[in-house]
Amino acid sequence: MTKAAIFAARQNEPCPECGAELVIRSGRHGPFLGCSQYPDCQYIRPLKAQADGHIVKVLEGQHCPKCQATLVLRQGRYGMFIGCSHYPECDHTEVIDKPDETSITCPQCGQGKLLQRKSRYGKVFHSCDRYPECQFALNNKPVAGECAYCHYPLLMEKRTAKGPLLCCASKLCGKPVAITE
């Protein structure tokens, strides 16, 4: 018995291509609907509707800076965003959740400020707001200060079993500076 047969669950819906029954199957990207006559019929479709940028709400009184069309609130694969109603002719988009800016200057370029961002997996990190010109990134919380050992202009707060610990943010040093409470 194959893995696909183990996870197959019957649906009361006919296949639009051959008329056989559709079954729920499990794949690498999650569950999907597929024809029970596979491999003779290769019809598949996502189990849930994909977020393809469909319009959630029209934002009255707000206009696109590129083409002056009305802006709309859209649902995409990475969440909600604001976009132009004349998409795909106009590709203007705006982020709803702006990253939190710290008052700490980037130690690598000396010009930008560090922003709190989230990776596509939801993990929080801090990076320079001048990306992609400056590619500084830090996985721990940055703290303004100077390392007593190497004089690097940035410290970071690490979480340990004993509590938070201030360390040098330099990859070459990384020595602990003090324990914070």
Side-chain angles (χ1 to χ4, degrees), residues 90-144:
C90 178
D91 62 352
H92 175 76
T93 60
E94 297 175 13
V95 179
I96 292 176
D97 293 328
K98 303 266 190 230
D100 295 336
E101 183 176 321
T102 63
S103 60
I104 301 171
T105 304
C106 175
Q108 186 171 332
C109 68
Q111 298 173 3
K113 298 287 184 191
L114 295 183
L115 299 177
Q116 179 179 326
R117 300 179 186 239
K118 279 189 181 178
S119 71
R120 62 181 168 171
Y121 303 111
K123 188 162 171 97
V124 174
F125 68 99
H126 293 80
S127 68
C128 183
D129 64 356
R130 294 186 60 241
Y131 178 84
E133 291 87 22
C134 177
Q135 297 189 357
F136 178 81
L138 189 64
N139 287 330
N140 296 305
K141 182 180 176 184
V143 177

Side-chain angles (χ1 to χ4, degrees), residues 19 59 72 81 110 115 125:
L59 302 174
V72 292
F81 66 96
L115 299 177
F125 68 99

